[in-house]
Each structure stands twice: as C-alpha cells, then as structure tokens.
Amino acid sequence: MTDAGTLERSADRATTILDHWVDSAPWAGTSTRTAPVFNPALGSVQKQVRLASASDVDRAVTSASAGADRWRDASIAKRQAVLFAFRELLNARKGELADILTAEHGKVTSDALGEIARGLEVVEFACGMPSQMKGAYSENVSTDIDVYSLRQPLGVVGIISPFNFPAMVPLWFFSIAIAAGNAVVLKPSEKDPSAANWLAALWSEAGLPDGVFTVVHGDKEAVDALLQHPDVRSISFVGSTPIARYIYEQAARFGKRVQALGGAKNHMLVLPDADLDLAADAAVNAGFGSAGERCMAISVVLAVDAIADELVAKIAERMGRLRTGDGMRGCDMGPLITEAHRDKVAGYIDTARSDGASVVVDGRGIEVDGDAGGFWLGPTLIDRVPTSSAVYRDEIFGPVLSVVRVEGYADGLGIINGSPYGNGTAIFTNDGGAARRFQREVQVGMIGINVPIPVPVAYHSFGGWKDSLFGDAKAYGPHGFDFFTQEKAVTSRWLDPSHGGLNLGFPQHD
Ligand code: NAD
C-alpha cells in the first residue's frame, strides 16, 4: 500500500493537528500545509503536523530573539534552577514521553526509555554549566594589565533533528544551548514530531521564560528559512549525509556557525581470539535494536575467515529468539518508520541475492506480534556480502545485518578505513595489543573495544569523522559548550597616571 493509500484508509482518525510551539503555547501559524504522522505499528495516520512557511519561521525567530534577550541576562543561578527543575520533571514523567516515542517512531518501550535516559544524561551534564562557562584570567600580563576571557551565548540557535531519536538528539543540543544562555528554535522531524511539543511544555512547567524554547514544525521550506534567517546564529543538524552536507554548505554560506552530523555505516571487526558468544550477542543487540534505525547501529560484521562460519551460526541462532511486534507489547523489535522505508530496506534483500551474497535469515513475511498493517520487517542476516554491493555500500538504516568475510586484522581495517563514513566502529578481541593498534589506526570518530555501540557519555563529546560529521564541533560534552558560546577576551588596566603618554606602536608588554 502506498503512503497515500494508508492515509486514505485512516483519514477518519487523522483530524488532530499538531501545532508549532511559540511563546510557551501552541501556535497554528499561517501555512495551510500539513503532513501525516503515522503510527508505524498500525500503519495508520494518527494526526497531522503543520508544515511552517518562511513567514511562520520568521515569526518564531522573532519570538526567540526576544527570549534570547531575556535569557542571556538571567543569572547562572536562575538558569541552573530551571535546568534542575526540567531534569526532575523529565525524570518523573519519562514514561509519558516513552509512550509518545513508541506511538510515532515504533521503537519498543524499553528502547524509548533508553533513548530518554541518554538524553537525561546530557541535561544532567548541562546542570553543571557553571564550571563549563567559566572563563580564564591572567593577571599582570604586562605591568598592571590583566587579560581575561568570558563565554557568552550566541543568541538564537537552530536545531534540526532526525526521526530516529525524536527526544535524545534534541536533548543533546538544547540542554547545553539553553544552559549557556541561548534561545532555541527546534525543527524536529515531521515523521515523529510530538515529542518536541511535549518537551516544550515541560520547559514551560520548569519555569523557562517565553521565547527561550520554540518549536517550528516543517520540511525543507522551514529548514531553508532557518538557514537563511539573519537572526539565527547557529545550526545544529543531525540526519542523513546528503542533507548534512547541504546544511553545512548553506549555513556557512549564510554566515552561521554549523555542526552537521550525518549518516553512518558502522563495522564490527571480530578477530579469531574474541569470545564469539559475546560477539554474537553484541552483533544482534547492536544490529537489530530499534530495528536498525540508529546511527550507531552495527550494520556490517567483519568476520575473520577462521571463525566466520561459527559466528554466523551463533548470530542466526540468536535472531531466531527475537520477537518483532508492537512496541507497547514487550517485543524486542518494532516496525520501521514508514511503509516506503520498509519497502526500500526489504529491497536490499533481493539486491544481496543478485550480487551473490547468501541470505541466511530473511525478515520478510515473519510472524509479528502486532497489527497486520504495521510497517514490519523482521531481522535479516546476509552473509558473504561483496563490498562492491549496494548492500554493503549504502546506509540501509533497517534490520539488515551484513557479514563481510575478511582474511585478518589488516584486511578488516582496510575495509573500515575505505568507507566514506566514520561514525562508530567496534573491535571484538581478547588481544589488548590488537585493540590498542585498532584504536590508533582506525579512521572513525567513536570506537568500541568489546563494546558494540560506543556512544560516549555526556561529559565526552559525540561525533564521527569523514562524511558522518561536517563542521568542527561534535555534539554535547565540552564541544557542546564551545559550540553554543562565543568567547570574549578582555584586556584591562585600571587607570594609573604613570601609564599616560602617546605611543602609536603596536601594544607590547613591559
Ligand atoms: P533526514 O536527513 O531525512 O532528515 C533529517 C532532518 O532534515 C529532518 O528534520 C528533515 O525534516 C530535514 N530534511 C529532510 N530533507 C530535507 C531537505 N531536502 N532539505 C532540508 N531539510 C531536510 O534524516 P532522517 O531520515 O530523519 O534520519 C535518519 C538519518 O539520520 C540517518 O542517515 C542516520 O544515520 C542519521 N543520524 C545520524 C546521527 C549522528 O549522530 N551522526 C544520529 C541520528 C541519525
């Protein structure tokens, strides 16, 4: 069934409209364009979301500019109090948010709660903002002259987020942006937009002043309006690589600070001395969690020939124990985000066959614990994938795990370093020397040693290399505070008559 067909089938249930959020309240804007929001486990439309016009974005940025003026002057103590209140509210009510994530994204409840936990971690890091916002002071750099630096907010900052983490990715950025004294305009994915409004209402409850947190829903028109708006000082983007590249180039063209996190193809190299049971567990967890719709999912296992047959058998056996179905029913894996995406992902199984790979587990037509109309695809395992195949090269972003057989460490490393992506990778081995060599030699931003999804904790920063990150600042951690602040250096002397006199030379120290 096409998206349009599904919409027609459930049109009667799709009358609710999700508004933007401006000045601490829902706002309809002026655009009449909307997009359907599906429940992927049912395959039906549950609401419509507004798609902002450029003038709607302008109105939202005007409100945010007023918010930025108010918030930048709030004391550190006041800002911290609001952050702590937000943290407490989010922790107390995370179950509500998890339900929203499951209903619109499809991820199972335990995974939704995991997403929120990793976002909360960044809120907690942001609560410690006083130590991150401190400047430096050098006394008497020249006689009776001191130099010190201050960190100040940018003003209005834009965040554009992807469908696969409707809560965590916005939390990565806005917690730090707000802690640093900025006002945020968030443009969430139009596929699962409700979490953004829920979070916005929570900020109001926590005492954040009007205009400091704004949500504009939309598609390319809203994104382009944010990119071009003169009062938006920075753009933080997360999404697919082609769009990340576009965002990076456009934001730079319009004079903005930009960090644009892109797509991924994450490899897990399994050496012959690894514990194969732990490696198989890890491959299944990291390959099929969230139906493979994670930028840190393992999508390729590089299995050294000597252990490849045994490892593939162990992975396949574990896959047989997974339950695919409605995320509300305690299953292991939910549906894909849209019907079109499900069909695209499933299409790679035929591509694999025609490219000479062997399909070990085919996830099409599996029995699911859920509505027949859902966008289902079961866990799929493809062995002996040639690196020339689109199955290897493309970011599939679904529950399809490829196995590429390699001769040894050097062969595996060469494949990883030959990939245009460099988001995450993992090595499974019991050899410390091999692991240490891997961490030095691999051209990837986040590395796991016997850890399959190496998402750094909030006080380190998150980001990949190569086509997985455009810009020079990663997300959250120390990079987050660097990105969302601008530094001022002050050179100060309190007047002393002995320093009078004319001297047109360039200032030097005495
Ligand atoms: P996407 O690129 O389709 O969309 C991301 C955002 O860009 C959305 O808000 C969307 O509305 C907007 N957008 C879409 N098309 C646009 C266009 N033509 N012009 C301007 N804006 C546009 O990505 P997605 O499908 O929502 O998310 C999945 C992708 O995100 C995957 O590639 C995944 O790897 C990546 N991702 C990366 C990370 C990371 O940290 N590197 C994290 C999560 C997701």
Side-chain angles (χ1 to χ4, degrees):
M1 194 187 296
T2 62
D3 277 8
T6 313
L7 175 59
E8 207 173 285
R9 191 183 73 171
S10 50
D12 52 325
R13 281 187 275 159
T15 48
T16 316
I17 296 187
L18 185 70
D19 286 330
H20 313 292
W21 184 272
V22 175
D23 284 331
S24 305
W27 179 64
T30 55
S31 162
T32 52
R33 290 195 309 129
T34 60
V37 179
F38 287 83
N39 180 327
L42 302 177
S44 56
V45 177
Q46 49 183 326
K47 62 177 72 159
Q48 305 286 334
V49 60
R50 296 198 187 278
L51 300 177
S53 62
S55 73
D56 291 339
V57 172
D58 184 51
R59 162 78 184 78
V61 173
T62 302
S63 153
S65 297
D69 289 344
R70 283 190 281 272
W71 191 235
R72 62 174 293 128
D73 290 332
S75 69
I76 284 182
K78 167 74 183 153
R79 296 211 301 259
Q80 225 183 354
V82 172
L83 272 153
F84 271 105
F86 180 78
R87 188 265 169 208
E88 291 304 300
L89 286 168
L90 181 53
N91 192 41
R93 290 175 41 196
K94 58 191 171 202
E96 284 171 40
L97 181 57
D99 286 349
I100 293 172
L101 300 183
T102 301
E104 291 189 4
H105 175 282
K107 62 179 69 181
V108 301
T109 302
S110 56
D111 191 33
L113 286 167
E115 158 171 5
I116 297 165
R118 295 308 302 262
L120 254 174
E121 192 183 288
V122 181
V123 182
E124 287 160 2
F125 171 67
C127 286
M129 140 271 281
S131 61
Q132 299 292 326
M133 295 289 289
K134 278 196 292 205
Y137 200 107
S138 300
E139 187 189 42
N140 227 26
V141 295
S142 189
T143 307
D144 289 341
I145 293 187
D146 303 331
V147 173
Y148 49 96
S149 59
L150 313 172
R151 278 176 183 268
Q152 294 189 337
L154 303 178
V156 177
V157 301
I159 299 170
I160 300 160
S161 56
F163 82 82
N164 67 321
F165 285 112
M168 183 186 76
V169 164
L171 280 160
W172 281 357
F173 296 103
F174 70 56
S175 309
I176 292 178
I178 288 174
N182 299 284
V184 165
V185 178
L186 169 64
K187 203 303 284 174
S189 169
E190 63 276 38
K191 295 189 178 112
D192 43 17
S194 299
N197 287 45
W198 188 91
L199 288 161
L202 210 68
W203 274 120
S204 297
E205 209 176 319
L208 195 69
D210 290 356
V212 183
F213 191 77
T214 298
V215 178
V216 200
H217 294 291
D219 53 9
K220 181 170 166 50
E221 185 173 345
V223 171
D224 284 340
L226 275 176
L227 286 167
Q228 292 169 26
H229 201 292
D231 296 338
V232 175
R233 298 290 315 284
S234 73
I235 296 288
S236 301
F237 171 87
V238 180
S240 57
T241 288
I243 310 294
R245 189 180 278 115
Y246 169 78
I247 298 285
Y248 178 69
E249 289 170 359
Q250 290 297 304
R253 186 173 153 220
F254 288 98
K256 299 185 197 316
R257 198 175 274 207
V258 56
Q259 50 183 175
L261 284 71
K265 191 86 189 182
N266 304 316
H267 302 73
M268 168 173 160
L269 174 59
V270 184
L271 298 188
D273 66 348
D275 181 321
L276 295 190
D277 285 305
L278 290 183
D281 286 346
V284 171
N285 295 340
F288 304 115
S290 206
E293 291 174 327
R294 289 183 184 144
C295 67
M296 289 294 273
I298 290 293
S299 44
V300 183
V301 173
L302 298 171
V304 174
D305 280 328
I307 48 89
D309 285 346
E310 193 183 344
L311 182 62
V312 168
K314 285 177 185 290
I315 293 173
E317 182 276 319
R318 284 159 171 76
M319 289 168 63
R321 290 188 250 144
L322 298 180
R323 253 178 73 219
T324 302
D326 194 314
M328 300 281 190
R329 298 189 195 175
C331 297
D332 299 298
M333 203 183 91
L336 295 187
I337 185 72
T338 60
E339 184 170 46
H341 184 57
R342 190 271 314 277
D343 293 346
K344 184 171 171 221
V345 173
Y348 281 100
I349 303 173
D350 291 328
T351 307
R353 277 214 177 87
S354 52
D355 287 350
S358 88
V359 178
V360 182
V361 181
D362 188 333
R364 291 173 293 192
I366 54 141
E367 214 173 283
V368 296
D369 183 3
D371 191 283
F375 307 139
W376 308 111
L377 180 66
T380 297
L381 180 63
I382 305 175
D383 193 8
R384 299 179 187 277
V385 176
T387 51
S388 55
S389 170
V391 176
Y392 170 75
R393 287 195 323 270
D394 296 357
E395 181 186 35
I396 297 177
F397 221 57
V400 176
L401 185 62
S402 298
V403 176
V404 173
R405 296 186 174 220
V406 295
E407 287 168 15
Y409 171 86
D411 191 14
L413 180 78
I415 289 176
I416 302 173
N417 286 350
S419 169
Y421 298 108
N423 212 39
T425 188
I427 186 167
F428 276 70
T429 179
N430 280 318
D431 179 341
R436 187 168 184 281
R437 194 172 151 193
F438 184 74
Q439 85 184 23
R440 268 189 69 75
E441 294 179 342
V442 78
Q443 303 286 307
V444 171
M446 293 173 283
I447 297 158
I449 296 175
N450 298 316
V451 172
I453 306 186
V455 175
V457 288
Y459 36 96
H460 288 264
S461 297
F462 176 106
W465 284 17
K466 300 198 273 188
D467 286 0
S468 296
L469 172 63
F470 300 91
D472 44 16
K474 296 181 171 191
Y476 64 76
H479 283 221
F481 277 97
D482 284 346
F483 186 81
F484 287 118
T485 55
Q486 48 196 344
E487 200 183 58
K488 264 181 187 162
V490 182
T491 303
S492 135
R493 180 177 72 197
W494 290 100
L495 293 181
D496 172 345
S498 69
H499 285 87
L502 298 177
N503 180 353
L504 271 56
F506 198 66
Q508 293 179 39
H509 311 302
D510 53 31

